[in-house]
Amino acid sequence: MRSSVLRGVSTIPGRRALLFAAVLPPLTLLDVFALPSFSLGAFLTRVAWGLGLVVFALLFERGSETRRRLLLLFNGAAGSLFYLALVYFTGSLASPYVLLVPTLPLLAAFVYPEESGSAVASGVACTLGIGVYVLMGKGSVEQAAGWAGMVGSSTFFGLVGSGQYRKTAAALNEARVERARREALEKLAVAELQRVQSERLATVGRLAASVMHEINNPLAFVRANLNFIQTEVFTQPLAPALREELKEVFGETRLGMERIQQIVQDLKGFSHSMDAEAACECALVDVVEDAARLASIRLKSVGELKIEVSPELPKVFIMPRRLAQVLLNLLVNAGDALEEAKVPRGEVRVHGAVRGQRVMLVVEDNGPGFSPEVLPRLFEAFFTTKGTDKGTGLGLSISRELVERFGGTLVAENRQEGGARLRIELPIYAPPAG
Ligand code: ADP
């Protein structure tokens, strides 16, 4: 745990030392106010101390963890000794700077909280140094003990403070590691689900291809037989009303057959070779129509689908099937919302417009919209209100990622009149110059 604290802030103590080294020599100006005369010894002590700090910073930057610990210990003691030298050159116990000696261990703990040894080393150096000055100045042992007591208290508070700092830093570090681990796991799970989804799509594509083959054969002879029956029936004398009715029945049957063929073809085209798709200059109206054809199968039972996308809209540079996948997601979501809320006259509308240099596609419905708890979490991976058997919670997060890959944005909001609105904005295609 201790090592992670030091590793997490590895270069910081070195940088602090450099900063301190830079301000030390100019601090000589203090002497002008505090001392009766300039002290060369004090000035040189500050310069030597500053150089010492530069060496410390350089060694610290390149050191191993053990070496860094030793350097912090050494620096705690050396800093205090330099300060004691400063006190010595400015009058020993009569120096105006002597009063700050007991605070040095606290300062060491404050400046280098990563290593408690720094405060201890400073405490030991200060106790010994000040003891020597007291004895040199013919002071009493009690006097020396008084100073030692003050230094000891400051060392104690320094140790408590730096311990607290290390505990907080370690907890923060642990939280950071945990967050990174969770994010990595989440990314892995999303990637896995995306893989499963594209595998599923590929399977649907293969299945649709064989279903199409299986359906096309019977469809061909149903069509031929229908034509035969139609010709035979209409050569018979029929009452005009019956003739009209039969015409209608034949027309509807033919439409139904075409629809079956179209649905299977769409399914196949939609899910086939999604991964190998290249980006191209596309008209949004084609993409919308592709998605709408498939979505209409889902939306038929819940409401009306209205498409208001002009073929005049500027082109965009996208992978059309992927954008169709996004639109299909939004349309199916709208269908789910309308069904869930049992909206009597459900309506889903897709419309397009130009906004500055971007072209906009809006999908909106008159369903329940997004509740305040759902709205901020819509694009979170795995967020779903549909239950795990129905929703994966990946539709919107993958959709946003895809749209962003085309340089666009996907945003969601509630309509003022009620219902959800999802807005895709894409940059207008600008052909390369020349
Ligand atoms: P899923 O559809 O698997 O739940 P999505 O990411 O597509 O995942 O959607 C996340 C959630 O957003 C849905 O569970 C639903 O609560 C909400 N949502 C999406 N579209 C709509 C909409 N048109 N109206 C209301 N809620 C919606």
Side-chain angles (χ1 to χ4, degrees):
M1 196 64 63
R2 283 166 57 111
S3 60
S4 62
V5 175
L6 248 193
R7 219 180 290 136
V9 288
S10 53
T11 51
I12 295 175
R15 270 189 244 148
R16 268 184 233 139
L18 281 180
L19 187 76
F20 196 38
V23 295
L24 262 176
L27 279 180
T28 304
L29 277 178
L30 276 181
D31 296 356
V32 175
F33 303 104
L35 304 178
S37 60
F38 172 75
S39 158
L40 182 65
F43 175 72
L44 291 177
T45 302
R46 284 200 181 91
V47 172
W49 191 357
L51 289 175
L53 284 169
V54 173
V55 174
F56 163 79
L58 291 177
L59 292 176
F60 193 88
E61 198 87 9
R62 281 166 219 158
S64 64
E65 217 176 303
T66 323
R67 191 155 135 194
R68 284 181 177 182
R69 282 190 186 292
L70 286 173
L71 278 168
L72 281 172
L73 270 177
F74 181 76
N75 188 51
S80 304
L81 290 176
F82 274 118
Y83 191 85
L84 285 164
L86 191 71
V87 169
Y88 176 78
F89 287 119
T90 52
S92 277
L93 289 183
S95 162
Y97 299 129
V98 76
L99 290 175
L100 287 183
V101 171
T103 65
L104 292 184
L106 195 60
L107 254 159
F110 181 72
V111 182
Y112 304 111
E114 295 82 3
E115 173 55 62
S116 50
S118 187
V120 176
S122 165
V124 172
C126 288
T127 311
L128 292 177
I130 206 84
V132 170
Y133 290 170
V134 170
L135 297 179
M136 268 174 23
K138 308 263 185 292
S140 65
V141 176
E142 287 81 12
Q143 224 176 334
W147 281 102
M150 285 194 281
V151 172
S153 323
S154 133
T155 309
F156 172 75
F157 288 120
L159 283 178
V160 171
S162 65
Q164 210 57 36
Y165 165 88
R166 283 194 303 280
K167 256 193 217 154
T168 315
L172 284 175
N173 205 31
E174 216 172 296
R176 206 175 42 223
V177 169
E178 179 57 25
R179 204 177 325 121
R181 195 181 67 88
R182 230 179 316 121
E183 277 170 10
L185 279 177
E186 217 166 80
K187 270 195 193 141
L188 205 70
V190 173
E192 177 58 16
L193 256 152
Q194 275 175 333
R195 191 186 62 76
V196 170
Q197 271 209 339
S198 48
E199 258 171 28
R200 215 180 278 163
L201 273 173
T203 314
V204 172
R206 281 197 298 276
L207 196 67
S210 51
V211 167
M212 192 167 122
H213 184 70
E214 289 300 313
I215 289 179
N216 273 345
N217 284 339
L219 215 57
F221 63 74
V222 169
R223 194 182 293 120
N225 290 355
L226 189 72
N227 286 343
F228 173 72
I229 297 169
Q230 191 175 358
T231 324
E232 284 302 306
V233 166
F234 286 122
T235 50
Q236 305 300 316
L238 296 168
L242 180 61
R243 180 175 284 273
E244 275 314 302
E245 212 171 325
L246 280 172
K247 245 190 206 166
E248 215 171 289
V249 169
F250 279 116
E252 270 175 14
T253 314
R254 188 160 288 116
L255 264 180
M257 280 187 330
E258 277 164 16
R259 182 106 180 94
I260 294 173
Q261 203 171 7
Q262 183 67 58
I263 288 174
V264 182
Q265 213 153 12
D266 285 348
L267 257 180
K268 187 185 166 223
F270 192 73
S271 26
H272 191 60
S273 68
M274 191 84 85
D275 286 335
E277 194 184 15
C280 58
E281 182 191 346
C282 298
L284 280 174
V285 68
D286 298 334
V287 181
V288 174
E289 269 172 13
D290 274 356
R293 256 203 315 274
L294 273 179
S296 61
I297 304 170
R298 167 74 184 99
L299 293 174
K300 210 161 34 188
S301 58
V302 289
E304 194 186 346
L305 173 60
K306 286 186 179 167
I307 308 289
E308 293 154 16
V309 179
S310 157
E312 310 292 308
L313 277 183
K315 292 195 167 173
V316 288
F317 196 71
I318 48 149
M319 295 181 203
R321 282 201 192 114
R322 294 210 174 244
L323 188 65
Q325 189 189 10
V326 170
L327 279 168
L328 185 63
N329 256 328
L330 305 187
L331 292 170
V332 170
N333 270 349
D336 289 348
L338 291 172
E339 187 174 66
E340 167 88 19
K342 296 193 178 59
V343 176
R345 260 197 299 277
E347 194 181 291
V348 183
R349 192 167 153 250
V350 183
H351 62 98
V354 176
R355 187 192 251 193
Q357 287 307 300
R358 292 161 94 80
V359 50
M360 198 167 69
L361 270 183
V362 179
V363 178
E364 48 188 16
D365 60 67
N366 62 345
F370 311 109
S371 66
E373 307 83 61
V374 168
L375 193 57
R377 303 191 58 196
L378 272 184
F379 295 97
E380 248 176 51
F382 304 116
F383 174 77
T384 178
T385 56
K386 298 178 187 168
T388 42
D389 52 329
K390 203 165 172 225
T392 58
L394 282 174
L396 287 179
S397 66
I398 293 178
S399 296
R400 177 177 266 186
E401 199 188 305
L402 285 175
V403 173
E404 283 175 355
R405 242 188 263 170
F406 305 139
T409 53
L410 169 62
V411 291
E413 62 190 9
N414 280 315
R415 300 195 312 169
Q416 239 167 17
E417 61 272 42
R421 176 181 292 132
L422 286 118
R423 208 175 53 235
I424 298 174
E425 281 191 25
L426 292 162
I428 292 175
Y429 175 66

